[in-house]
């Protein structure tokens, strides 16, 4: 892809997100979401592979349907209230349809079916953008309208997402599908905390983006898309394999790593709100996700690739891609737990 075209598409992605996050008018927010969707479609289809074209088509259809529902809900709300202000969301029909549309855009269960298939069909760089940057604009809308949303629907969606994200990743061998189910599980935690404490949702989103960035950059550095290709990581890049192991355990929520922070705070807040049973169910569902994270760490660190194998192996030369973002995100994925009070004081 031409550098000029790539810069235009990346600028459009940033512009769409900024428009949606900073707008107070429903039409402006909808326009930002559309710019976001249209900018990432060429990035998905740039490989000119049938699977990439299929993934781009599925993504476009899903996002277009969700955008149409958002436009419908905002129009219904404007018909009821007489204004297009995002904060003035009072119609019950508009609130429910808007929540369903944004959950579809994010890939939260039960509207998650498109996410693993789309992520499997695109390359790791575009998958990183889809799993991190594309979550910002819909989450900004959700956080703005969170006081008007139905807590029961969000709790149910959060529990279903954590369970499906755990169960779905158990029998996967493709790393991109595992990262997709990991995204579904993390989004479930965000949905459960949204009406209780939007501040915790924002904190969880930031930490999720850091950990997912570190993991995708690691997979890109290792040129790995299947679990079997991770078995030679320790022999070739032991330092990167060790940091990746800690990052995976952090994504599973083990103390004293960074990923333990949002789960701990969310469970504590849910217990304060007398939602002990729901908190217990989500904590148990996190064990399912932890299982396939540990499965990846076992493959990366405790297995030795056979010297003679009938399968073709990818020979990894010294990479020239920049490592600063990988080092920063991997370090932050491991060592941010002591700074929990500082992060909570910074967030609005």
């Amino acid at each position: 892809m031409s550098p000029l075209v790539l810069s235009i598409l990346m600028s459009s992605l940033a512009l769409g997100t900024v428009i949606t996050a900073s707008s107070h008018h429903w039409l402006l927010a909808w326009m930002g979401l559309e710019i976001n969707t249209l900018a990432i479609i060429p990035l998905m289809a740039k490989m000119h592979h049938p699977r990439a074209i299929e993934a781009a088509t599925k993504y476009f259809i899903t996002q277009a349907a969700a955008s149409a529902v958002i436009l419908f809900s905002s129009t219904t709300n404007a018909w009821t209230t007489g204004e297009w202000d995002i904060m003035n969301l009072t119609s019950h029909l508009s609130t429910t349809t808007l929540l369903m549309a944004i959950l579809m855009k994010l890939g939260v269960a039960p509207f998650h079916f498109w996410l693993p298939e789309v992520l499997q069909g695109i390359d790791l760089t575009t998958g990183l953008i889809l799993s991190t940057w594309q979550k910002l604009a819909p989450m900004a809308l959700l956080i703005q309208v969170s006081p008007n949303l139905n807590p029961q629907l969000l709790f149910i969606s959060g529990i279903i997402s954590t369970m499906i994200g755990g169960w779905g990743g158990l029998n996967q061998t493709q790393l991109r599908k595992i990262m997709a189910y990991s995204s579904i599980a993390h989004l479930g935690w965000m949905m459960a905390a949204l009406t209780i404490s939007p501040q915790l949702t924002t904190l969880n989103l930031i930490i999720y983006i850091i950990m997912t960035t570190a993991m995708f950059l690691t997979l890109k550095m290792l040129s790995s898309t299947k679990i079997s290709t991770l078995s030679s990581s320790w022999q070739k890049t032991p330092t990167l394999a060790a940091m990746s192991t800690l990052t995976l355990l952090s994504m599973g929520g083990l103390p004293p790593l960074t990923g333990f922070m949002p789960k701990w705070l969310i469970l504590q807040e849910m217990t304060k709100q007398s939602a002990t049973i729901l908190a217990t169910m989500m904590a148990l569902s996190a064990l399912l996700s932890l299982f396939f994270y540990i499965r990846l760490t076992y493959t990366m660190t405790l297995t030795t690739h056979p010297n003679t194998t009938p399968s073709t192996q990818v020979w990894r030369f010294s990479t020239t891609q920049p490592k600063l973002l990988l080092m920063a995100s991997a370090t932050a994925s491991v060592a941010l737990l002591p700074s929990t009070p500082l992060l909570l004081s910074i967030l609005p």
Side-chain angles (χ1 to χ4, degrees), residues 107-334:
V108 181
F111 309 102
H112 67 284
F113 299 100
W114 62 270
L115 184 57
E117 299 300 324
V118 169
L119 206 57
Q120 176 62 27
I122 57 181
D123 63 329
L124 289 170
T125 305
T126 313
L128 170 61
I129 297 173
L130 179 62
S131 301
T132 55
W133 187 266
Q134 291 297 94
K135 309 292 185 190
L136 294 177
M139 284 301 298
L141 276 182
L142 266 186
I143 291 173
Q144 287 187 68
V145 301
S146 58
N148 302 315
L149 298 178
N150 190 338
Q152 285 76 20
L153 288 178
L154 284 170
F155 273 134
I156 293 172
S157 178
I159 292 175
I160 293 175
S161 293
T162 53
M163 289 185 174
I164 288 179
W167 282 110
L170 290 180
N171 61 344
Q172 299 295 331
T173 59
Q174 299 291 330
L175 294 174
R176 283 168 292 184
K177 281 193 175 182
I178 289 178
M179 294 305 297
Y181 283 108
S182 170
S183 173
I184 293 170
H186 279 92
L187 287 170
W189 285 88
M190 297 179 210
M191 295 304 107
L194 186 60
T195 53
I196 299 176
S197 176
Q199 182 187 29
L200 287 184
T201 301
T202 306
L203 177 64
N204 199 346
L205 177 63
I206 293 172
I207 293 176
Y208 159 76
I209 289 176
I210 292 173
M211 295 188 298
T212 305
T213 301
M215 204 59 229
F216 266 100
L217 291 178
T218 300
L219 298 179
K220 184 175 175 59
M221 186 80 70
L222 297 174
S223 302
S224 298
T225 56
K226 295 185 294 185
I227 292 181
S228 59
T229 59
L230 292 176
S231 57
S232 60
S233 303
W234 187 261
Q235 288 81 7
K236 295 187 178 299
T237 53
T239 305
L240 182 60
M243 286 300 296
S244 303
T245 299
L246 293 176
T247 303
L248 286 167
L249 295 179
S250 180
M251 293 181 77
L254 287 184
L257 303 173
T258 303
F260 176 66
M261 180 204 308
K263 289 183 172 59
W264 172 36
L265 295 174
I266 290 172
L267 291 176
Q268 183 181 24
E269 197 66 31
M270 292 177 70
T271 306
K272 289 180 181 178
Q273 300 293 327
S274 301
T276 310
I277 297 177
L278 299 178
T280 305
M281 293 174 63
M282 294 188 66
L284 292 176
S285 65
L287 296 177
L288 298 172
S289 301
L290 182 61
F291 176 83
F292 61 77
Y293 293 136
I294 293 180
R295 182 184 175 198
L296 293 180
T297 62
Y298 172 79
T299 306
M300 293 185 73
T301 59
L302 299 178
T303 57
T304 303
H305 197 276
N307 293 325
T308 58
T309 174
S311 60
T312 303
Q313 295 299 317
V314 180
W315 185 261
R316 300 185 181 94
F317 297 96
S318 297
T319 178
T320 57
Q321 59 183 344
K323 305 179 182 65
L324 180 60
L325 180 59
L326 172 58
M327 291 187 295
S329 57
T331 305
S333 300
V334 173

Side-chain angles (χ1 to χ4, degrees), residues 60-128:
F60 173 74
I61 292 174
T62 306
Q63 299 297 311
S67 295
V69 176
I70 288 177
L71 192 60
F72 167 76
S73 64
S74 58
T75 305
T76 306
N77 184 70
W79 183 273
T80 305
T81 61
E83 58 183 46
W84 290 86
D85 190 6
I86 289 180
M87 305 302 293
N88 190 15
L89 189 67
T90 57
S91 171
H92 181 69
L93 174 63
S94 302
T95 305
T96 306
T97 53
L98 176 73
L99 178 59
M100 292 171 58
I102 297 182
L103 293 184
M104 186 185 300
K105 273 191 166 295
L106 288 170
V108 181
F111 309 102
H112 67 284
F113 299 100
W114 62 270
L115 184 57
E117 299 300 324
V118 169
L119 206 57
Q120 176 62 27
I122 57 181
D123 63 329
L124 289 170
T125 305
T126 313
L128 170 61

